[in-house]
Amino acid sequence: MAPEHNKRVTAIYPGSFDPVTNGHLDLIARGAMIFDKLIVAVARNLEKDALFPVKERIEMLEAVTFEWKNVEVDAFDGLLVEFARERGGRVILRGIRAVSDYEYELQMAMMNRKIEPQIETVFMLPGETYSYLSSRLVKELARLGGPVKGLVPPLVEERLRAKVG
Ligand code: PNS
């Protein structure tokens, strides 16, 4: 048997999470079932155009992932693969909703592999209910007074209302 057969696997689930949606949560639930540890990693370098500051995005993520004991929330600056290496992550987890996501995800995965060949990108599919859902559309909907119920956790719905309502 290969010597590493029972290694524990930590996966990093990176993103902007501005804000976390039910689609992200669906993927977190799937990731938490497969990997020993899942670190949800909020990218700081995308802060300038964000609706929520990183601190608030982390707060919301921590609150809504509380029930998963193997899920942790953190933030990172700079290169994702460097953060993954520092945290002992062997896998980068990304969700693919539709074919349109694939090209961007492929480029990113291949670039990350070029920089750090030891880290694998693993793609998972969110539940079909969430295949059209994105933080960008949720924000637009909230800004225009549309219903975001069922698209984001109740806590995020409240924060969105306070922010743009
Ligand atoms: O949810 P998003 O906005 O699609 O997430 C994009 C993210 C944060 C995963 C990506 O922009 C990223 O990894 N940024 C960190 C900087 C980095 O490592 N860039 C090289 C990727 S090839």
Side-chain angles (χ1 to χ4, degrees):
M1 208 177 281
E4 311 97 271
H5 70 281
N6 60 4
K7 251 191 194 168
R8 293 175 61 79
V9 179
T10 294
I12 312 290
Y13 179 37
S16 320
F17 303 104
D18 182 41
V20 57
T21 68
N22 286 345
H24 294 129
L25 274 187
D26 177 274
L27 216 76
I28 290 170
R30 289 170 201 279
M33 295 251 285
I34 302 277
F35 300 108
D36 298 297
K37 183 167 167 183
L38 185 69
I39 302 175
V40 181
V42 180
R44 279 191 202 280
N45 48 2
L46 306 172
E47 176 135 55
K48 68 177 175 12
D49 299 320
L51 178 63
F52 293 97
V54 168
K55 188 170 169 285
E56 208 172 339
R57 282 184 259 162
I58 291 178
E59 260 171 39
M60 290 188 276
L61 275 165
E62 279 176 343
V64 300
T65 59
F66 180 73
E67 63 180 286
W68 291 289
K69 296 302 167 214
N70 62 338
V71 174
E72 205 182 289
V73 181
D74 202 351
F76 70 102
D77 294 290
L79 284 179
L80 170 62
V81 288
E82 268 172 23
F83 171 78
R85 213 187 293 136
E86 278 163 24
R87 299 299 316 265
R90 290 168 62 204
V91 165
I92 291 170
L93 173 65
R94 291 286 288 174
I96 289 199
R97 292 161 299 189
V99 176
S100 50
D101 283 340
Y102 180 73
E103 202 168 319
Y104 169 61
E105 293 298 333
L106 176 74
Q107 284 179 355
M108 208 156 63
M110 295 312 266
M111 190 59 86
N112 283 331
R113 177 182 278 171
K114 172 115 186 77
I115 313 170
E116 178 47 272
Q118 302 293 326
I119 296 175
E120 286 297 334
T121 298
V122 170
F123 296 114
M124 289 179 95
L125 307 176
E128 58 195 30
T129 335
Y130 306 115
S131 61
Y132 59 92
L133 185 53
S134 71
S135 299
R136 186 178 62 79
L137 285 183
V138 163
K139 282 184 281 191
E140 189 167 320
L141 208 56
R143 275 193 196 108
L144 299 172
V148 295
K149 199 175 171 58
L151 304 180
V152 292
L155 164 74
V156 176
E157 201 183 326
E158 271 168 41
R159 299 271 184 119
L160 268 170
R161 213 176 296 123
K163 193 76 112 181
V164 300

